[in-house]
Amino acid sequence: MARVLVVDDDLTVREVVVSYLRAAGHAVAEAADGEAALTVMRDAPADLVVLDLMLPGIDGLEVCSRLRATSDVPVIMLTALGSEADRLVGLELGADDYVTKPFSPRELALRVGSVLRRVGEREDAQDLEPLVDGDLVLDRAAHTVALGGRPLSLTMREFDLLAFLMAHPGTAYSREELLEKVWGWSFGDQSTVTVHVRRLREKVEPDPTRPTRLATVWGVGYRWDPVMVDQR
């Protein structure tokens, strides 16, 4: 049974979300503001956090930032329909998914299940060999990435995207295909892929503005081009 923390200052929203998540088999804790959420995560850490961005006191973006400083706990953001900028900032801070208000509680429960399933699949990857591309090494069992021997800090979604692309070198994928194949979404904002591609380039490319590994295929999407190693 996964433990989920629901953070929202709207009591009605919390009650509905908590009800659906409990019906889906999760243990659920609640918090009405950012301070309370951080206290809960310190004293009894959850396996996943459903986090509203508009909170009194410490807002959701700051809560997400503080969580990311010490934890890789999955975070699903609840955002207002028109706040695309906030959604992108949240993703850049390391949120794993988002649902826009007003939302279907059933859709949110499905998103929670999807994210937790990805975490489980990551834990099941113990027997997989590391993926190696020149000086870039991704260890799926240990869930670590190193470049030139230096550890890289990646969010779960960044890790999943990098692992998928490295495992399928030379194949171009559209953003829609990546949403479905990497994160199991049959719907969603394709700008999510764009944000994570940009963040990965900032971490694995010598010059993110002129990528050599994570290439853009114009009119299609993205492709992983392995580093050519001189074997002489």
Side-chain angles (χ1 to χ4, degrees):
M1 180 183 294
R3 175 176 166 82
V4 180
L5 172 61
V6 177
V7 188
D8 198 305
D9 62 326
D10 187 320
L11 177 59
T12 300
V13 171
R14 285 206 318 276
E15 288 179 340
V16 172
V17 171
V18 168
S19 175
Y20 268 80
L21 291 178
R22 285 178 175 160
H26 305 299
V28 186
E30 303 176 49
D33 57 57
E35 287 284 5
L38 293 171
T39 299
V40 171
M41 289 300 293
R42 183 187 66 235
D43 296 340
D47 300 305
L48 182 145
V49 179
V50 176
L51 177 63
D52 186 29
L53 290 190
M54 300 298 293
L55 295 172
I58 302 174
D59 67 17
L61 292 177
E62 178 63 20
V63 172
C64 185
S65 178
R66 294 192 190 185
L67 288 176
R68 278 291 164 266
T70 59
S71 170
D72 62 354
V73 62
V75 175
I76 297 179
M77 300 184 306
L78 302 180
T79 72
L81 185 60
S83 60
E84 180 179 2
D86 284 342
R87 293 201 300 273
L88 295 181
V89 171
L91 291 172
E92 291 180 343
L93 288 174
D96 298 276
D97 202 349
Y98 68 85
V99 175
T100 56
K101 291 183 174 181
F103 60 87
S104 160
R106 181 174 179 274
E107 176 192 346
L108 176 58
L110 291 173
R111 292 290 186 97
V112 168
S114 176
V115 172
L116 289 171
R117 190 160 51 250
R118 291 202 306 272
V119 174
E121 290 170 353
R122 181 183 72 191
E123 294 172 349
D124 289 340
Q126 299 301 310
D127 297 328
L128 296 177
E129 292 293 324
L131 297 169
V132 180
D133 180 18
D135 61 348
L136 181 65
V137 180
L138 184 148
D139 190 327
R140 289 173 284 187
H143 201 260
T144 59
V145 182
L147 179 63
R150 178 177 59 87
L152 297 181
S153 177
L154 271 63
T155 67
M156 183 177 72
R157 288 181 65 184
E158 291 168 356
F159 183 93
D160 290 343
L161 178 59
L162 181 60
F164 178 83
L165 291 170
M166 289 182 68
H168 301 86
T171 302
Y173 294 95
S174 68
R175 292 188 297 174
E176 182 179 9
E177 288 176 317
L178 290 171
L179 279 175
E180 182 174 358
K181 292 179 180 295
V182 179
W183 300 310
W185 296 7
S186 57
F187 54 89
D189 186 347
Q190 295 182 12
S191 65
T192 299
V193 176
T194 306
V195 169
H196 284 82
V197 165
R198 184 176 74 247
R199 287 176 57 86
L200 280 179
R201 283 173 171 165
E202 291 171 351
K203 296 177 180 181
V204 306
E205 298 281 4
D207 182 356
T209 64
R210 302 178 63 184
T212 58
R213 277 174 155 146
L214 213 175
T216 296
V217 182
W218 298 109
V220 180
Y222 303 102
R223 182 187 66 231
W224 186 262
D225 289 337
V227 172
M228 298 301 293
V229 180
D230 191 345
Q231 300 291 338
R232 292 178 298 176

